[in-house]
Amino acid sequence: MEILIDNRETYILDLLKEYNPKVIRLPIGDIFILKENEGVLLERKTPSDFISSLRSNRLWEQLLKMIKNDKIGLYKIKRRILIIHGQFDIEDAQIFGALLEILFVYEIPIVFVNDDLEFKEFFRILVQREDKGLNDKIPQERWYRKRFREELPEKDKKIYILASLPYIGNILAKNLFDYFGSIASVANASKKNLTNVKGIGEKRAKLIYKMFH
């Protein structure tokens, strides 16, 4: 696997330096995950960049280039993903319409990550799945295993419950439980105490606090 990053994306380069990415000028997209002779093309936007590019129509120009180009150099683009990186509070009908158009007209999947931690975790899993070919599988029937969660250790059950709540996810759920020791303590925590947990800043702490109060 080789990671190519556009030379204008210095912020991404710093986040993904552990992959020893190759820095080049990509004609389209921000990141190209390359395996042998094909790869996955990622376009990353912050919420503010998404909105400004939507209003200027630059977004549609970029997405059209992504779907019209089958290759970057000699390498085939086998799939395309749009990542919206940052807390995105959608309140505008135009934004909902744009997201639906991206999904159904341009047929580009959209992934939302709230912060750098989630971005890095998503990227790690994406690279891992691409390397193993897991994203190219034919869909298979999967039987519902009713007792799966019941068989978890008690601590893992509680982490699982926390992870299912908005604004938290798997990594923060574990960090929260390790710090507070119980779901009740998380629910009763102040915004200041929440910011003591690894990966939680003031904005995320405010959202979690508001959810419980």
Side-chain angles (χ1 to χ4, degrees):
M1 300 287 289
E2 186 175 13
I3 310 300
L4 310 181
I5 297 181
D6 186 79
N7 58 10
R8 293 161 291 186
E9 298 296 328
T10 54
Y11 189 81
I12 299 177
L13 182 61
D14 186 57
L15 287 180
L16 303 180
K17 58 187 176 184
E18 64 190 270
Y19 295 92
N20 297 316
K22 183 177 180 181
V23 181
I24 65 169
R25 184 64 175 260
L26 288 172
I28 49 175
D30 299 320
I31 307 170
F32 195 42
I33 302 171
L34 184 61
K35 183 181 180 183
E36 297 175 354
N37 62 344
E38 60 183 9
V40 180
L41 183 63
L42 308 179
E43 173 72 27
R44 170 192 166 273
K45 289 193 177 297
T46 63
S48 59
D49 185 32
F50 179 86
I51 292 169
S52 64
S53 63
L54 172 62
R55 289 173 177 167
S56 68
N57 284 329
R58 182 168 55 90
L59 173 68
W60 306 118
E61 180 185 353
Q62 291 173 319
L63 296 180
L64 194 60
K65 285 181 180 179
M66 286 179 72
I67 63 173
K68 279 193 169 183
N69 285 276
D70 295 326
K71 291 184 176 181
I72 290 182
L74 300 174
Y75 305 112
K76 179 184 176 183
I77 302 172
K78 70 173 179 178
R79 65 179 120 259
R80 301 148 180 85
I81 302 173
L82 172 63
I83 301 176
I84 298 181
H85 183 172
Q87 190 68 43
F88 200 7
D89 299 320
I90 305 172
E91 299 176 351
D92 192 323
Q94 183 187 12
I95 296 175
F96 279 117
L99 294 173
L100 291 171
E101 186 162 347
I102 293 166
L103 285 170
F104 299 128
V105 179
Y106 290 78
E107 296 184 335
I108 296 176
I110 307 167
V111 175
F112 293 87
V113 292
N114 287 311
D115 51 34
D116 292 352
L117 192 67
E118 287 187 11
F119 175 82
K120 291 174 72 173
E121 182 66 5
F122 165 74
F123 191 83
R124 181 188 69 79
I125 294 170
L126 176 61
V127 169
Q128 184 182 76
R129 289 181 62 88
E130 289 296 332
D131 191 35
K132 294 179 179 179
L134 296 177
N135 292 334
D136 298 307
K137 294 193 304 182
I138 297 172
Q140 298 175 343
E141 289 185 359
R142 299 184 184 184
W143 295 101
Y144 173 49
R145 296 177 59 195
K146 186 175 180 180
R147 291 187 56 81
F148 176 72
R149 295 301 171 191
E150 296 172 7
E151 295 165 359
L152 288 173
E154 194 62 30
K155 177 182 176 181
D156 290 346
K157 284 182 186 178
K158 292 175 181 178
I159 292 174
Y160 174 72
I161 292 169
L162 278 174
S164 67
L165 297 174
Y167 317 118
I168 295 180
N170 293 328
I171 295 174
L172 290 184
K174 185 178 185 307
N175 293 348
L176 281 164
F177 194 84
D178 287 345
Y179 186 87
F180 289 106
S182 70
I183 295 174
S185 295
V186 174
N188 292 322
S190 66
K191 285 178 275 189
K192 184 177 180 181
N193 283 341
L194 286 168
T195 59
N196 292 330
V197 177
K198 183 180 178 182
I200 297 182
E202 290 184 7
K203 189 171 184 179
R204 182 68 62 88
K206 185 178 179 181
L207 290 168
I208 295 172
Y209 179 84
K210 188 177 179 181
M211 178 173 60
F212 286 113
H213 295 84

